Structures are given as C-alpha cells and as structure tokens.
C-alpha cells in the first residue's frame, strides 16, 4: 500500500522538491479509494494547503503518474481522473456509477500483443487495460 511518506521519499531521492502544495496533492490523492478528477484532488488538497493551484495539481499528478504512484483513468466525455497505484503491472475495474476503482493484476495479452505488433509493425512498449461496469453496491 502506498503511503504519503514513501512517495515523498521517492520523489526526494529522485531530485524533486517536496513543497507543501505537492505534499497536499499527494495526501488528497491517497484519501480517495476510487479515482479523482484533478479538480476534486485540488478541492481536497486545499484542506492541507489553501494556496494549491490547479496547475500544481496537474503537474503533480502527471509526475506521480510518470513515477508509477498514480494511474490515469479514462472517464466519460473524454475526461480523465487519477487513482493512487501500487507499483507493478496492473489494470483497473471502474464503476461507471459511483467511480469506485479496483486494481487487478495479471493479464496474459502476450499473444495478442505479438499479433498486433506483427500486423502493424509497431514495437509495443506498454499497454493499459481498463474495464468498466457496475460494482456490487451499484448493481
């Protein structure tokens, strides 16, 4: 399970400054069990640092995503949100009604990816798999 301190430590080791706004964004992201829009992250982060701006939220979420601490989640209307992520290869189940997000590991897409690579000439470096439906509470 990710913690604020473990993320802050890794950011610091990687040479990133640990500012109050950045720490507030990390804390706000970790509070949500599902995914959050950047606006929602900002709203919660302002409880810890009133000066957090939306640009800081976007930059911090992008950084956390690049470092593997957050995963970008696609939502309706071509919008996106972010969910805290554990390290390692995994995917998401997203409830289309309440937004609850569950990570799951394991997918054997190797044959499919080889076929796509052969058919298109692409060298596939990564993939995302997101399944959408209704969680047990919303059914």
């Amino acid at each position: 399970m990710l913690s604020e301190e473990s993320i802050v430590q890794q950011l610091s080791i990687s040479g990133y400054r640990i500012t109050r706004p950045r720490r507030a964004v990390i804390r706000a992201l970790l509070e949500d069990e599902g995914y959050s829009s950047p606006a929602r992250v900002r709203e919660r982060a302002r409880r810890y640092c009133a000066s957090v701006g939306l640009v800081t939220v976007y930059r911090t979420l992008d950084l956390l995503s690049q470092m593997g601490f957050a995963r970008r989640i696609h939502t309706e209307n071509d919008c996106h949100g972010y969910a805290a992520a554990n390290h390692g290869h995994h995917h998401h189940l997203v409830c289309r009604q309440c937004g609850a997000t569950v990570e799951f590991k394991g997918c054997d897409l190797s044959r499919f990816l080889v076929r796509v690579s052969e058919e298109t000439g692409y060298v596939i470096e990564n993939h995302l798999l997101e399944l959408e439906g209704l969680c047990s509470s919303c059914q």
Side-chain angles (χ1 to χ4, degrees):
M1 188 79 174
L2 289 176
S3 71
E4 179 182 345
E5 288 309 314
S6 66
I7 293 172
V8 165
Q9 183 179 19
Q10 285 300 315
L11 290 175
S12 182
I13 289 170
S14 297
Y16 293 99
R17 290 182 38 227
I18 308 304
T19 61
R20 279 188 63 222
R22 186 171 276 169
R23 188 181 278 271
V25 170
I26 293 167
R27 186 176 297 167
L29 180 70
L30 292 174
E31 285 178 349
D32 200 341
E33 291 182 21
Y35 67 86
S36 296
S37 69
R40 186 167 158 184
V41 171
R42 178 181 179 226
E43 180 181 309
R44 281 199 318 275
R46 284 190 155 193
R47 288 185 280 174
Y48 308 110
C49 180
S51 65
V52 172
L54 200 51
V55 171
T56 298
V57 171
Y58 273 102
R59 287 181 180 162
T60 301
L61 291 173
D62 283 344
L63 173 62
L64 295 174
S65 181
Q66 289 171 19
M67 293 189 71
F69 297 120
R71 297 284 185 237
R72 189 173 172 165
I73 306 291
H74 299 278
T75 60
E76 296 176 8
N77 303 323
D78 294 327
C79 295
H80 66 274
Y82 291 85
N86 293 317
H87 283 291
H89 184 77
H90 63 276
H91 303 289
H92 292 102
L93 295 166
V94 180
C95 179
R96 65 177 167 79
Q97 187 166 327
C98 72
T101 304
V102 176
E103 291 182 7
F104 67 94
K105 292 184 179 187
C107 67
D108 189 6
L109 297 176
S110 56
R111 282 192 246 161
F112 173 72
L113 296 176
V114 167
R115 190 185 84 213
V116 170
S117 181
E118 289 172 351
E119 289 175 3
T120 63
Y122 275 69
V123 174
I124 299 172
E125 298 173 342
N126 196 6
H127 70 271
L128 304 172
L129 177 62
E130 186 173 293
L131 304 174
E132 183 181 87
L134 292 173
C135 68
S136 58
S137 299
C138 293
Q139 292 177 21

